[in-house]
């Protein structure tokens, strides 16, 4: 089966199912919902056995050819096999026949499954950021982001900020000056400036702020799953003079960034 590349934003969770409705699936080595219904927010990780919210997990299915396929949209047919979005959990699931035991059949685990999954999640994150930009829910540029954080609103009379996006290769000095203005906001720093620029329709991007709402919530979820799969990351040893990249290259000029006209209701 070919890699699924559906970049639609994630859908909301279905109605809740109490934890006690998880029942043991004899012989499968995992728990399932009654009749494989998969409704509700709780899932059991086939690697660790822990039960948690499905928002922090990744669904897999077995394709017609017996290959393990990630289902980030959570819509593919077949019984879902859930793995916590964590580097070690995925590594464990890929080894020792964990997927096969959970599926109760022989399966093929692609050796590049982790890398493939990271690429898919990266695309989803950047696509979600692009959707937020087109909806007028993003401001980019060092000065505009600082102004939005100080005013506690994104755009003219816009919603309050929900999260910050900082380029991984941006100056740590400039990034620190931005994040210090809103220490409680989550920060996504998984992408280099060139990838952010492409998603935001700019020549260059280092700093961006996303307004509170559904699009921001979806981006936070995807970024959290991607962060878990990437594992701990060392800080970059940047050689740039403080503020050199950001103050000069991350100007407030951009294509369609920060335009709040026609912003839909949140």
């Amino acid at each position: 089966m070919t890699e699924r590349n559906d970049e639609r934003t994630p859908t909301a969770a279905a109605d809740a199912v109490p934890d006690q409705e998880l029942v043991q699936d004899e012989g499968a080595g995992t728990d399932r919902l009654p009749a494989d219904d998969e409704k509700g927010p709780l899932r059991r990780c086939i690697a660790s056995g822990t039960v948690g919210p499905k928002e922090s997990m990744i669904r897999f299915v077995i394709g017609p050819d017996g290959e393990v396929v990630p289902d980030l949209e959570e819509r593919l047919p077949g019984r879902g096999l859930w793995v916590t979005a964590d580097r070690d959990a995925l590594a464990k699931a890929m080894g020792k026949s964990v997927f096969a035991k959970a599926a109760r059949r022989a399966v093929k685990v692609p050796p590049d499954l982790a890398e493939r999954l990271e690429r898919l999640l990266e695309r989803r994150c950047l696509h979600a950021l692009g959707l937020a930009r087109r909806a007028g829910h993003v401001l980019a540029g060092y000065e505009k982001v600082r102004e939005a954080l100080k005013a506690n609103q994104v755009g003219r009379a816009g919603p309050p900020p929900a999260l910050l996006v900082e380029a991984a290769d941006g100056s740590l000095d400039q990034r620190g000056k931005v994040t210090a203005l809103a220490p409680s906001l989550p920060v996504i720093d998984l992408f280099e400036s060139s990838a952010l620029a492409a998603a935001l329709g700019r020549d260059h991007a280092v700093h961006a702020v996303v307004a509170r709402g559904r699009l921001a919530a979806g981006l936070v979820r995807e970024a959290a799953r991607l962060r878990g799969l990437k594992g701990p990351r060392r800080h970059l040893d940047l050689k740039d003079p403080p503020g050199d990249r950001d103050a000069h290259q991350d100007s407030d000029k951009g294509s369609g960034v920060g335009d709040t006209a026609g912003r839909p209701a949140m």
Side-chain angles (χ1 to χ4, degrees), residues 24-36:
Q24 183 67 29
D25 185 4
E26 297 296 338
T30 184
D31 288 352
R32 62 175 174 83
L33 294 172
D36 284 339

Side-chain angles (χ1 to χ4, degrees), residues 9-10 128 132 135 137-138 154 158-163 185 209-221 263-266:
T9 53
H137 298 171
V138 175
V154 179
L163 63 104
L185 287 187
V209 60
V210 184
R212 186 181 301 170
R214 178 180 58 84
L215 294 173
L219 177 56
V220 167
R221 182 203 176 183
R263 181 175 61 241
M266 302 297 286

Side-chain angles (χ1 to χ4, degrees), residues 16-23 31-34 41-44 50-52:
V17 173
D19 193 7
Q20 61 266 28
E21 290 192 28
L22 286 164
V23 296
D31 288 352
R32 62 175 174 83
L33 294 172
L42 298 176
R43 298 293 183 273
R44 186 176 294 276
T50 59
V51 175

Side-chain angles (χ1 to χ4, degrees), residues 139-161:
L139 284 172
Y142 180 68
E143 293 298 336
K144 282 188 176 181
V145 170
R146 284 172 57 85
E147 290 172 5
L149 296 178
K150 291 176 181 178
N152 195 36
Q153 64 183 43
V154 179
R156 188 173 300 173

Side-chain angles (χ1 to χ4, degrees), residues 165-183:
V165 182
E166 297 286 317
D169 56 343
S171 162
L172 293 180
D173 176 69
Q174 290 289 328
R175 287 173 54 183
K177 291 178 180 179
V178 171
T179 56
L181 294 174

Side-chain angles (χ1 to χ4, degrees), residues 1-7 65 67-72 76 110 112-123:
M1 175 175 286
T2 58
E3 180 178 323
R4 182 179 174 86
N5 186 20
D6 191 340
E7 293 184 332
D65 58 355
E67 184 172 282
V68 175
V69 179
D71 177 24
L72 297 179
L76 292 179
D112 65 340
L113 181 61
E115 292 77 12
R116 183 186 306 181
L117 192 53
E118 281 193 25
R119 289 196 301 269
L120 288 172
L121 282 169
E122 286 171 356
R123 293 174 193 168

Side-chain angles (χ1 to χ4, degrees), residues 240-265:
D240 297 19
D244 181 63
R245 292 180 64 94
D246 303 273
H248 299 289
Q249 295 184 344
D250 189 28
S251 66
D252 289 324
K253 296 179 181 179
S255 174
V257 179
D259 180 9
T260 59
R263 181 175 61 241

